[in-house]
Amino acid sequence: MSGPTEGTTMAQSLDLQGSFHVYDTTLRDGAQQEGLNLSVADKLAIARQLDGLGVGFIEGGWPGANPKDTEFFRRAVDELDLRHARLAAFGATRKAGVAAADDPQVAALRDSGAGVVTLVAKSHDRHVELALRTTLEENLAMVRDTVSHLRAEGQTVFLDAEHFFDGYRANRDYALEVLRTATEAGAEVVALCDTNGGMLPDWVTDVVSDVIASTGARIGIHAHNDSGCAVANSLAAVAAGATHVQGCINGYGERTGNADLVSVVANLELKLDRRVLPDGLLREATRIAHAVAEVTNFPPASRQPYVGTSAFAHKAGLHASAIKVDPDLYQHMDPLGVGNDMRLLVSDMAGRASIELKGRELGFDLSGDRELVTRVTDRVKEMEGRGYTFEAADASFELLLVEEVEGVRPAYFDVESWRVITETSPAAEAVSEATVKLKAEDVRYVVTGEGNGPVNALDAALRSAIGQAFPEVAKFELIDYKVRILDPSLPGGHGTDAITRVLIETSDGESSWVTVGVGHNVIEASWGALIDGLTFGLRKHHR
């Protein structure tokens, strides 16, 4: 961890509700991501995870604008027991020509049960005139009346100044006047929104510095990632004096997304020594980021900073050699700080150090046997040259390693033969049937299985046969299946007859493991991955 930047003092240590705000807008702005559709139950589940991260505010949605968000706030009263966060309702200022007290959408905010309301307001003069179709003076009155009305009702009010940076460039005086009006009416924070996401960090620094000097308002930042700078722009705003940061877990959001809130808070805490979350909760970041990804049904981004599965993964032999001496030589921080872990990837780029470290990770001490390490390294490189990949298939690599260390491959069954056929007719869907003959525990089994495809049929037949000898196989379930047609230039590959690689993930309900198979067709490759998957699972249960 790097030390505090120049000028940082103990007095700048930050607390949640007072001197710094971490504000999550996943349930509202993040939910605008293409393909992301959250049910009310999903939103409640994500809110609990965000509270576990220790964010100060969770923006639940726009009550009154759609039934789902209205229902979320209704259920949140009874179903959310938030320990760290306060729930915020999002909505717009009153309509032109209507009193705030009489506006139905303002009433929905007032009646939402949320102690905090975040109002979006136009701060770009052209948006006022073209989108709202009202005057600049009326827009200021809309801001003033809505903020003061909700404040009088006992709610805390934040203001999101929409399109602020573009509006500042077009008409600085008016953009600043919107902020002054909101602050004078009682808004505790005015968040500057880079709604189009086109700003760069130096520009943000200049604008935020000017806004603070000119208005004296408490400033927040709401950055979109269209220029790839949402996290950097958020940090630039904080460096310039902003004390309220908005973002989304995993960087969700429309177009290219919002600022990834985990990256923002991790940089603030780990790089700048500024405490923005409750003590120790940043260590929950990886678990929570992945848990939210499961709810949204968007696979976690493996290369996501800090919490991605590849964030601390090392593949090249040179890196592994250095890490063997000191992990910090090729890592910017200890991954445990965000609840992640270092991973050694075994591939054709692996050197002896990679194999030794990976072996140690799997419980094998290879440091005293140079011949063994060389043999494993050479075998990995030879197999990857034929299309295998072990960096994504730890279970297959462990079986290979056990075979080299112990001189024999773990064997719980002996396959005599297998076949699979697929039958179709014009009036019906295709049906696959597989027959597997094998011996397990000195008993010969001949089993037939059906499935909605040849691989599914093989899996059913194989598990049914082995399961008669090893009942624990009934717990095993194939949970992921990936096929890739490899470069036809590989040995034996040409055109449609190219080499096929299959990765299969298997679970026993407690953990999961990935195995790899390679063959001249998808069924042959799948068979190899299935055999490894069951063998690894049985070894896991019989150690």
Side-chain angles (χ1 to χ4, degrees), residues 169-238:
R169 286 177 162 180
N171 186 339
R172 172 183 175 276
D173 290 343
Y174 185 75
L176 294 178
E177 190 59 30
V178 172
L179 305 186
R180 291 192 189 97
T181 300
T183 302
E184 291 168 1
E188 294 194 10
V189 173
V190 285
L192 313 183
C193 300
D194 184 19
T195 309
N196 290 341
M199 295 296 288
L200 297 179
D202 286 349
W203 303 347
V204 170
T205 297
D206 292 343
V207 174
V208 172
S209 297
D210 181 39
V211 168
I212 292 175
S214 302
T215 67
R218 179 171 185 175
I219 298 302
I221 181 69
H222 177 109
H224 285 255
N225 202 41
D226 299 73
S227 63
C229 293
V231 171
N233 286 342
S234 299
L235 296 172
V238 172

Side-chain angles (χ1 to χ4, degrees), residues 69-87:
D69 285 358
T70 302
E71 176 70 5
F72 168 81
F73 282 96
R74 187 190 67 78
R75 290 178 57 179
V77 174
D78 296 322
E79 298 182 35
L80 286 184
D81 182 18
L82 301 179
R83 298 177 54 205
H84 304 290
R86 297 173 66 189
L87 203 60

Side-chain angles (χ1 to χ4, degrees), residues 14 50 90 179 202 271 302 329 353 357 374 437:
L14 304 172
L50 295 172
F90 180 88
L179 305 186
D202 286 349
K271 304 300 183 181
S302 61
L329 291 175
L357 287 169
T374 299
K437 301 177 183 180

Side-chain angles (χ1 to χ4, degrees), residues 94-118:
R94 68 161 173 83
K95 293 182 175 62
V98 178
D102 298 329
D103 189 303
Q105 288 204 353
V106 175
L109 296 172
R110 187 180 62 232
D111 300 336
S112 66
V116 179
V117 171
T118 299

